[in-house]
Amino acid sequence: MNALPNTLRVERLNKASLRKVIEPEVDVAGALGPGQLVPDELLSVDGLGLDLTPEQRHRLAREELASIFHAGIVFEATLMAGFAFQMATGADVRDPRFTYALHEIGEETRHSRLFIRLLHQLEPQQRNPILTGWLHRHLGKRVLPALLRRPAALDAFVLAGEEIPDLLQKLLAEHPGTDPYIAEVNRYHRAEEARHLAFARTTISEHYAATTWTDRLAVRWIVPLYLVVMFDLLMVQPYVYETIGLPPWRTWNRVRRLPRRVELRRQCARSVLKALTGTGIFPGRVPYPWRRISGT
Ligand SMILES: [Fe+2]
Ligand SMILES: [Fe+2]
């Protein structure tokens, strides 16, 4: 593989990151408005035919956003751990990829600080045992080290973890019924994430070509499972429904079967799959789990 075109691409990404450094405390310093932050048709329960009061919809909008931002913070921490691990264990420090990883970590720390500020403003009432409970800590201790040792799976994990929120943020940012500050936050985040996606697409083929068979196996079989878990369970976690008096798991189960949600999940899967096939890492038939989750 000729790595030179990739190196030039990464150098361009480095320049783009330098051109506009956005500090959200200064440049995205607004606050949430008083109304319903997410329009009815973008709430996860849209299509279930529930008869919710305006107060319930108002609360649910805040809870769903809080769930998404919380997942974003945990995801960005995982990504930063992965990058830092690679940098600490033998990456060439003069390689532009090393510099770009530093840019990306810098940008993610700014995103996460903004998300934390938003969580304070949203004042969620939900429990979140999915991301704060024993199971999460236990899995984190086992899954995270396994992921850190597999650079191609980490790239695919990054692609999945950035494409899913990207699609949800696009829908929010473009809808006139979305709170203007949420829309602004999403536009800012998507603009920087576009570069992160470009970097992951650039490095995955290099990592995939030089990695272990277990790493390749994870890209083919484990990452698609993770993508479904991330979309179904981490974006809008079940206990948001409890805050408006709905049974959490039963409502969650109905939401994930809604045709609109199924299509949205497939759309996310297709965009990750498109990125992967575009890099040429699936030269033959696309692995079954990817075909299954993208409905192709
Ligand atoms: Fe981010
Ligand atoms: Fe990112």
Side-chain angles (χ1 to χ4, degrees), residues 74 78 129-150 157 222 225-226 229-230 233-234 249:
V74 173
T78 308
I130 310 290
L131 285 180
T132 57
W134 171 86
L135 185 65
H136 178 72
R137 281 195 296 279
H138 181 74
L139 276 177
K141 279 184 195 147
R142 288 179 186 278
V143 175
L144 190 57
L147 185 64
L148 297 187
R149 290 196 304 272
R150 292 175 177 82
F157 169 88
I222 312 291
L225 297 179
Y226 158 78
V229 169
M230 174 139 191
L233 203 58
L234 303 184
W249 285 100

Side-chain angles (χ1 to χ4, degrees), residues 140-266:
K141 279 184 195 147
R142 288 179 186 278
V143 175
L144 190 57
L147 185 64
L148 297 187
R149 290 196 304 272
R150 292 175 177 82
L154 181 74
D155 292 331
F157 169 88
V158 168
L159 280 169
E162 292 184 337
E163 288 282 7
I164 294 173
D166 186 70
L167 180 62
L168 300 179
Q169 288 172 339
K170 179 174 187 287
L171 294 173
L172 279 167
E174 290 176 354
H175 197 291
T178 300
D179 174 80
Y181 185 53
I182 291 291
E184 185 188 350
V185 165
N186 286 347
R187 278 193 297 272
Y188 150 63
H189 192 231
R190 289 189 71 220
E192 297 207 334
E193 290 301 324
R195 295 198 293 270
H196 301 179
L197 285 164
F199 183 62
R201 281 194 288 263
T202 304
T203 54
I204 191 167
S205 53
E206 297 176 341
H207 287 151
Y208 198 84
T211 196
T212 60
W213 69 270
T214 60
D215 194 6
R216 292 194 188 136
L217 192 80
V219 171
R220 291 167 165 265
W221 290 84
I222 312 291
V223 174
L225 297 179
Y226 158 78
L227 191 146
V228 172
V229 169
M230 174 139 191
F231 185 91
D232 280 348
L233 203 58
L234 303 184
M235 289 289 105
V236 178
Q237 61 102 357
Y239 292 91
V240 302
Y241 305 119
E242 196 177 48
T243 64
I244 57 165
L246 296 172
W249 285 100
R250 190 141 41 95
T251 311
W252 172 80
N253 201 29
R254 289 182 66 203
V255 164
R256 65 184 287 273
R257 289 156 191 258
L258 277 169
R260 200 178 55 95
R261 296 293 289 182
V262 172
E263 183 44 39
L264 206 54
R265 185 172 60 230
R266 284 185 177 158

